Amino acid sequence: MATVRIRLRTQNGDLGPLQQTASETVGDVKRRLVADWSKLIADASITSAEAPTAITDVKLILNGKFLDNDESLGDVYKTLTDPGVDTVLTMHAVIRPQSSVNGGKSKGKGKDSKSCGCVIC
């Protein structure tokens, strides 16, 4: 089975490259990222990064496009114009834990509400 190498670029630094099979999905990559977060950031010497707790906390972007969880890595790899044998896919990983989306506050319009609840991604 073909292997795909992935580097995840976060706002705090790069993670990987990770070895995944071409039949695995984007959702599988997100599950691995959530499960292995502590090890991945330690290997990359990243000290300050908020950990995702679920795959919904992670958005992966390739070539300006948000990737769907059901998309296979093999299909994502084929979208590149000329991938070489040793090509490492660099995806941007946006980590947005739910606690930081709304600042830990409830989304309300009361006078005590400090956030609007807007979400970019």
Side-chain angles (χ1 to χ4, degrees), residues 29-42:
V29 174
K30 290 180 179 183
R31 277 186 273 289
R32 180 176 178 192
L33 183 62
V34 170
D36 297 343
W37 181 258
S38 296
K39 181 183 180 324
L40 291 171
I41 64 169

Side-chain angles (χ1 to χ4, degrees), residues 94-116:
V94 179
I95 311 297
R96 297 281 309 239
Q98 291 303 311
S99 63
S100 70
V101 169
N102 62 10
K105 306 225 183 282
S106 63
K107 294 180 190 176
K109 292 193 176 192
K111 64 181 179 180
D112 294 333
S113 178
K114 300 290 184 200
S115 68
C116 68

Side-chain angles (χ1 to χ4, degrees), residues 10-106:
T10 69
Q11 69 181 27
N12 297 319
D14 290 353
L15 304 174
L18 308 174
Q19 302 282 342
Q20 304 282 138
T21 63
S23 62
E24 289 181 275
T25 65
V26 171
D28 294 330
V29 174
K30 290 180 179 183
R31 277 186 273 289
R32 180 176 178 192
L33 183 62
V34 170
D36 297 343
W37 181 258
S38 296
K39 181 183 180 324
L40 291 171
I41 64 169
D43 291 348
S45 300
I46 296 174
T47 56
S48 63
E50 194 166 357
T53 57
I55 67 168
T56 55
D57 295 346
V58 181
K59 305 287 186 205
L60 296 181
I61 305 167
L62 179 66
N63 292 336
K65 177 186 168 233
F66 285 100
L67 300 176
D68 295 325
N69 288 343
D70 299 333
E71 211 168 351
S72 78
L73 295 177
D75 290 342
V76 169
Y77 191 77
K78 289 177 190 174
T79 63
L80 299 175
T81 54
D82 188 22
V85 175
D86 291 329
T87 299
V88 176
L89 288 177
T90 299
M91 297 180 186
H92 288 86
V94 179
I95 311 297
R96 297 281 309 239
Q98 291 303 311
S99 63
S100 70
V101 169
N102 62 10
K105 306 225 183 282
S106 63

